[in-house]
Amino acid sequence: MVKNEFPKDFLWGGAIACSQADGGYREGGKGISTQDCRFFDPNWDEKTIYERAYFSEMSTAGLKKAIEDEGNINYPLRRGIDFYHKYPQDISLLKELGLKVFRTSISWSRIFPNGDDILPNDEGIKYYRDLFGKLKENDIKIFATIVHYDIPVNLVLKYGGWKNRKTIDFYLKYVKVLFENFGDIVDYWLPFNEINAARFGTWDGACLIKGEEENYDQSIYQCVHHQFIASAKVIELSKKMLKKPMIGAMIARFCSYPATCKPEDVLQSIHDEQYSNYFYLDVMARGEYPKYMDRFFEKMGVNIQFAEGDKELLKNNTADFVSFSYYSSQVSTIDQSWSKTCGNLVAEANLNPYLKTNEIGWTIDGIGLRIVLNQLYDRYQLPLFIAENGLGTFEKLEEGNTIHDDYRISYFEEHFKAMKEAITDGIDLIGYTAWGIIDIVSCGPLTMDKRYGVIYVDYDNCGNGTGNRYKKDSFYWYKKVIETNGENL
Ligand code: BG6
């Protein structure tokens, strides 16, 4: 009989990224990262904040100013939630929550402050040894992202970042240090967060300054190609250096249903899926560039430069598991007048009239998660890991120092039920890390007041506050789910 339950060893977890959580800017020998350079003006109104979240890219002048602005506090990703100093108490809370796995990223600029340094920074290595040691002491598995958007800014200034193949060598040198030091303690690795992000947020994903690119599309895809090669080389290295390598491929999953059963809309949906999602996973999980991309590339005037051996490298080094972020879904149509909303990384998404949206405008679609789990498993037949999912919204600390976040509980419930159903559909889903398990600085708007956590952090958009952590109602609810392995869902 088919069992409707989570596997016994299912990895219930939570996720953050170093640039959004750590702070400790320039402490312990850390160099400046590309994410340290993103400016936020506390006088911007909400409309400006959200417009900038989607459209603002780095400018040459903005980057220059950021590097000179050492002491300026209006760079929220320099302060995060001070996880760098507060991680012992945060891990105690995560232990109390019962987490089985914790996803965070490693800051490249803490290990190699400039990216091209001859020797790694011992203090940076020690920090991660302590942090990872603390997680293991508490029986929490580690899911480490090697690059979550941030790279040492020096690599951009001196070499052009991902546009330059040399960056692959610097990256590999960094990964070798990680494998040497943490190869036996980290359980799951992701070479890149959301490798398709470059197409949507160029500074985050590719560390490119749009205004400086002669052929913008060409530069984006050449950067992505170098990231594919870097990922394959991580896999190649993992086979030599790790006892039980588990290296994943991750995308931001943009699920896009046909808006109608009109053949043109169905075809549009196929094209949207290929262009935004499958291209990236096809390269990393199947090991080759899919033929369908030739038409897209031709239309954009893109001609990717392959070096000798690239094709074989990709073919021989495919991912061990497939991972993705999933927040909402959208629809595909050729109807230009279709109603719009927004979503993760996209300012304009076609709205699904059958779904509700959250306060920011992102649709809420639990069944969509079951759909993408089925689609990805059908296509790749590899274990799946949901690396990000959650509800970001505005919250104010309530009486009794808590948040009654029944809306988050119902979002989780809907998505957890969908996961359980997908497992019953036969999908090999190994884990789930709720995004921003503890409130962190939001990546798009750069604010604190868009919160995802089951733990509230008392900082405002300007970094004012005690920094104290408080449990929300969803903390107790999620704890129960983990304790019972989702039995009552
Ligand atoms: C993902 C990123 O795309 O979306 C995270 O990997 C980010 O870094 C998350 O935080 C949610 O986006 P935002 O803008 O609400 O923080």
Side-chain angles (χ1 to χ4, degrees):
M1 213 178 86
V2 178
K3 284 194 182 149
N4 190 230
E5 61 189 22
F6 285 90
K8 268 205 307 297
D9 52 356
F10 187 74
L11 295 169
W12 294 101
I16 59 168
C18 63
S19 65
Q20 294 168 252
D22 286 5
Y25 172 67
R26 308 295 268 152
E27 285 183 58
K30 183 186 172 302
I32 304 175
S33 85
T34 46
Q35 291 291 304
D36 291 329
C37 298
R38 295 180 59 208
F39 178 75
F40 174 83
D41 185 338
N43 297 315
W44 286 334
D45 58 22
E46 209 168 277
K47 185 168 171 282
T48 314
I49 291 173
Y50 279 88
E51 271 170 13
R52 290 184 59 96
Y54 295 112
F55 295 113
S56 127
E57 293 288 352
M58 185 57 72
S59 66
T60 312
L63 182 58
K64 185 167 177 287
K65 185 164 173 285
I67 290 161
E68 291 163 0
D69 253 0
E70 275 282 347
N72 192 326
I73 56 158
N74 294 330
Y75 292 88
L77 298 174
R78 293 179 185 180
R79 51 173 188 263
I81 55 159
D82 200 21
F83 183 75
Y84 182 72
H85 295 109
K86 296 194 162 87
Y87 76 81
Q89 86 183 63
D90 288 340
I91 292 174
S92 301
L93 281 168
L94 299 179
K95 169 75 180 167
E96 185 187 334
L97 180 59
L99 282 204
K100 309 275 184 220
V101 64
F102 181 62
R103 174 181 175 227
T104 189
S105 59
I106 298 172
S107 163
W108 186 348
S109 53
R110 237 179 237 299
I111 305 292
F112 284 102
N114 301 296
D116 60 354
D117 317 72
I118 297 191
L119 292 174
N121 169 32
D122 288 340
E123 272 190 86
I125 295 176
K126 181 178 178 313
Y127 167 68
Y128 285 105
R129 189 165 292 137
D130 292 348
L131 167 66
F132 292 161
K134 190 94 198 144
L135 286 161
K136 283 286 146 135
E137 246 173 60
N138 285 285
D139 279 330
I140 300 175
K141 288 196 189 307
I142 301 162
F143 184 6
T145 314
I146 297 171
V147 166
H148 191 124
Y149 297 160
D150 60 325
I151 75 170
V153 77
N154 176 56
L155 292 180
V156 176
L157 301 172
K158 208 153 143 193
Y159 304 94
W162 289 111
K163 251 191 325 183
N164 190 337
R165 259 190 104 93
K166 258 189 164 184
T167 299
I168 305 177
D169 299 333
F170 295 128
Y171 173 83
L172 254 286
K173 188 171 164 187
Y174 158 56
V175 176
K176 195 156 177 272
V177 169
L178 301 186
F179 283 179
E180 274 161 6
N181 285 280
F182 317 120
D184 53 347
I185 190 169
V186 168
D187 301 277
Y188 300 88
W189 296 91
L190 274 183
F192 290 92
N193 177 61
E194 300 177 334
I195 202 160
N196 55 342
R199 186 62 276 180
F200 305 92
T202 328
W203 181 249
D204 287 353
C207 310
L208 285 176
I209 296 177
K210 193 172 181 178
E212 285 184 358
E213 295 311 311
E214 233 171 84
N215 182 342
Y216 182 54
D217 290 322
Q218 172 68 31
S219 301
I220 289 178
Y221 285 100
Q222 196 60 50
C223 287
V224 170
H225 179 70
H226 291 155
Q227 294 180 351
F228 286 151
I229 297 301
S231 299
K233 286 189 178 222
V234 172
I235 294 171
E236 188 179 50
L237 193 67
S238 78
K239 292 179 200 159
K240 292 183 195 141
M241 293 184 68
L242 305 185
K243 284 202 195 93
K244 277 200 299 178
M246 271 306 259
I247 317 284
M250 180 191 176
I251 57 162
R253 182 69 172 92
F254 300 99
C255 171
S256 203
Y257 311 135
T260 69
C261 51
K262 197 157 58 180
E264 287 86 347
D265 283 351
V266 177
L267 189 63
Q268 185 62 45
S269 156
I270 292 175
H271 287 162
D272 287 346
E273 293 283 15
Q274 291 174 330
Y275 175 79
S276 301
N277 301 291
Y278 292 140
F279 160 52
Y280 303 86
L281 290 178
D282 284 354
V283 175
M284 291 188 294
R286 289 177 160 172
E288 56 192 30
Y289 271 62
K291 268 313 258 177
Y292 58 75
M293 279 310 284
D294 292 353
R295 276 183 99 156
F296 290 105
F297 288 147
E298 192 169 274
K299 203 162 157 208
M300 291 185 280
V302 168
N303 181 14
I304 295 171
Q305 301 303 303
F306 278 69
E308 215 189 306
D310 278 3
K311 286 194 176 151
E312 295 70 25
L313 181 87
L314 292 173
K315 194 72 205 165
N316 296 331
N317 296 285
T318 52
D320 300 310
F321 65 97
V322 165
S323 189
F324 63 94
S325 61
Y326 172 86
Y327 291 94
S328 55
S329 66
Q330 51 190 288
V331 299
S332 295
T333 177
I334 55 159
D335 178 354
Q336 302 289 332
S337 63
W338 196 272
S339 301
K340 304 279 191 263
T341 186
C342 54
N344 184 30
L345 304 172
V346 285
E348 266 204 353
N350 292 315
L351 180 67
N352 187 331
Y354 298 101
L355 297 174
K356 291 202 185 101
T357 57
N358 71 13
E359 270 183 299
I360 319 282
W362 301 11
T363 54
I364 299 178
D365 182 11
I367 294 178
L369 180 57
R370 181 173 173 190
I371 293 171
V372 304
L373 285 166
N374 271 276
Q375 289 170 329
L376 295 177
Y377 196 62
D378 280 355
R379 196 171 177 109
Y380 303 109
Q381 296 283 300
L382 284 172
L384 301 180
F385 203 131
I386 302 168
E388 287 181 30
N389 169 253
L391 179 77
T393 196
F394 305 112
E395 289 168 330
K396 287 251 171 311
L397 201 59
E398 297 171 40
E399 222 182 283
N401 283 336
T402 187
I403 305 276
H404 299 299
D405 54 345
D406 49 326
Y407 40 86
R408 180 167 294 107
I409 293 174
S410 83
Y411 180 96
F412 278 145
E413 190 170 22
E414 190 178 325
H415 288 75
F416 293 177
K417 280 183 175 160
M419 282 152 47
K420 201 174 184 179
E421 290 301 326
I423 289 167
T424 311
D425 293 337
I427 276 95
D428 183 11
L429 177 62
I430 54 177
Y432 169 92
T433 46
W435 181 248
I437 189 74
I438 174 163
D439 292 345
I440 51 178
V441 177
S442 241
C443 184
L446 296 177
T447 54
M448 251 331 275
D449 67 6
K450 183 183 179 197
R451 297 167 182 274
Y452 287 85
V454 302
I455 299 164
Y456 181 92
V457 176
D458 180 30
Y459 283 128
D460 68 11
N461 291 346
C462 305
N464 302 313
T466 60
N468 288 346
R469 279 55 169 156
Y470 299 106
K471 294 169 223 164
K472 305 182 190 177
D473 286 354
S474 54
F475 179 96
Y476 301 100
W477 184 85
Y478 191 28
K479 180 174 159 66
K480 186 103 197 141
V481 170
I482 300 174
E483 262 167 24
T484 56
N485 199 23
E487 223 170 71
N488 301 325
L489 290 163

